[in-house]
Amino acid sequence: MDFERPGQTGQTDQPEQINEFERELRQAMERRPAPPSLKRRIMQQRSMLRTERVQNHNAWWQRLAASVLLVGVIAGGYSWRQIEERRKGEEAAQQVFTALRITNRALNDMNRRLVARDREEK
């Protein structure tokens, strides 16, 4: 197998290539101190992500609470409407019964008068 770089031929450069490769590898693997602001940036990013997560969580709960409240208001309105219609129906029925009692009394009074008149005529 030949591991030469493209464009390079010949065996004379091989030890030099290995040395250059080792030097590049050492440079790449060399331990370097972290930039002074790295920890601050990482903590800031972590804090932003946590804040965003908490805000999303709060927004979800707020939406849920608003939905429950909206359902409650709609159900309460529907229930109030049903109760109001029932009350109006009962009131109308009461008025009809009152009108029927008045009519019944008037008819009974008229029947008594007619019977009394028929007795006077006989």
Side-chain angles (χ1 to χ4, degrees), residues 2 4-13 17:
D2 192 9
E4 291 182 8
R5 291 187 182 171
Q8 293 181 351
T9 58
Q11 300 270 339
T12 57
D13 295 335
Q17 286 178 352

Side-chain angles (χ1 to χ4, degrees), residues 4-104:
E4 291 182 8
R5 291 187 182 171
Q8 293 181 351
T9 58
Q11 300 270 339
T12 57
D13 295 335
Q14 195 169 7
E16 187 179 307
Q17 286 178 352
I18 291 175
N19 289 337
E20 184 181 338
F21 175 73
E22 285 179 357
R23 186 179 52 77
E24 288 176 8
L25 184 61
R26 279 192 188 110
Q27 279 181 340
M29 299 298 285
E30 186 178 288
R31 184 177 179 110
R32 293 184 201 127
S37 62
L38 180 65
K39 183 176 180 180
R40 181 181 48 80
R41 287 187 307 196
I42 290 173
M43 295 305 284
Q44 205 172 31
Q45 185 179 13
R46 180 177 176 225
S47 175
M48 271 188 353
L49 289 174
R50 179 178 286 163
T51 302
E52 185 178 318
R53 194 173 343 123
V54 166
Q55 287 174 346
N56 287 340
H57 188 71
N58 286 343
W60 187 83
W61 279 108
Q62 288 172 350
R63 289 179 186 135
L64 180 64
S67 299
V68 168
L69 181 65
L70 184 61
V71 167
V73 167
I74 290 171
Y78 180 76
S79 177
W80 177 81
R81 185 174 175 206
Q82 293 291 336
I83 290 170
E84 190 65 22
E85 285 182 12
R86 185 179 304 135
R87 187 191 62 76
K88 286 180 181 179
E90 289 172 357
E91 186 178 314
Q94 198 66 282
Q95 289 174 354
V96 167
F97 289 137
T98 301
L100 286 174
R101 277 195 299 272
I102 292 170
T103 304
N104 189 30

